[in-house]
Amino acid sequence: MTPVPSPDPLDVVVHSGPADWWVILAGLGPLAVLIAALLAFYINWRTLKQRTAADKTALDQKREADANALQQKTEADSRAEWWRRTQWALDRALDPDEGTKALGLATLEVLARSELARTEELELFDIAWKSVSGDENGEENGDDGQVDAGPGQELAFVDDDGNLGENGTTDDDSTKEVGP
């Protein structure tokens, strides 16, 4: 059987009064979701901006710390190499051979002018110089700070007759080449 429409008309009544509160709230739901999404976007954007700034600051601090560490390591390596050269020069300065001694003293003189030389090392140089020159008392001569060689002793100077010449050899009596 097929349904047959009812012969009676159907009345539809539309109420035109104020809407209930839940109906209004249901209509504002999509707007509330949009506002919540915008608020979440703003909060996340601010957080990302803050983290980016913090990461940049941390990276800058790390770069500065790395640069300081590298500078400190470079200075320590330079000082270690300077000290190795100083030890070599001290060994040569205390050698009995006059040519080798002159080479050591000349090297010490150059090393003493280095910015890496500290006061303590310069005091060691003075002691070595006094030892080589024969001044066992360690007294300085007057106010000019130069070492007194004592009676009958002569101070050794670079390129003296008994010292290493500019061509890398000793005086005429012994012509052996001086090297490490």
Side-chain angles (χ1 to χ4, degrees), residues 23-168:
V23 174
I24 295 173
L25 187 62
L28 293 177
L31 182 60
V33 170
L34 179 63
I35 290 173
L38 289 175
L39 184 62
F41 172 77
Y42 177 74
I43 290 172
N44 286 334
W45 177 71
R46 293 289 295 172
T47 302
L48 181 63
K49 188 175 177 181
Q50 183 180 9
R51 283 186 184 169
T52 303
D55 288 347
K56 183 181 181 299
T57 302
L59 185 61
D60 289 344
Q61 289 173 348
K62 183 169 178 5
R63 281 186 188 140
E64 185 177 341
D66 289 348
N68 289 341
L70 180 62
Q71 180 182 5
Q72 185 177 11
K73 184 182 181 323
T74 302
E75 184 176 332
D77 289 347
S78 296
R79 287 206 32 80
E81 182 64 23
W82 179 88
W83 183 246
R84 189 185 66 76
R85 290 177 183 151
T86 301
Q87 288 174 325
W88 179 88
L90 285 170
D91 289 343
R92 297 307 174 272
L94 297 174
D95 194 274
D97 179 50
E98 289 297 318
T100 306
K101 184 184 291 186
L103 175 64
L105 290 174
T107 306
L108 285 175
E109 185 178 332
V110 171
L111 289 170
R113 285 181 269 165
S114 171
E115 62 189 28
L116 297 172
R118 293 184 181 163
T119 307
E120 303 89 40
E121 286 98 9
L122 293 176
E123 289 175 8
L124 288 174
F125 286 0
D126 288 342
I127 293 169
W129 188 268
K130 290 172 187 174
S131 172
V132 169
S133 67
D135 185 16
E136 296 299 327
N137 296 331
E139 295 178 5
E140 294 181 359
N141 183 16
D143 54 13
D144 60 356
Q146 294 195 358
V147 177
D148 184 14
Q153 294 180 341
E154 188 175 300
L155 289 176
F157 290 102
V158 177
D159 292 338
D160 265 358
D161 289 334
N163 292 332
L164 180 68
E166 290 184 22
N167 62 355

Side-chain angles (χ1 to χ4, degrees), residues 1 6 10 12-13 29-30 44 50 76-77 111 116 141 150 165 170 176:
M1 286 214 236
S6 91
L10 203 58
V12 177
V13 178
N44 286 334
Q50 183 180 9
D77 289 347
L111 289 170
L116 297 172
N141 183 16
T170 56
K176 87 173 181 185

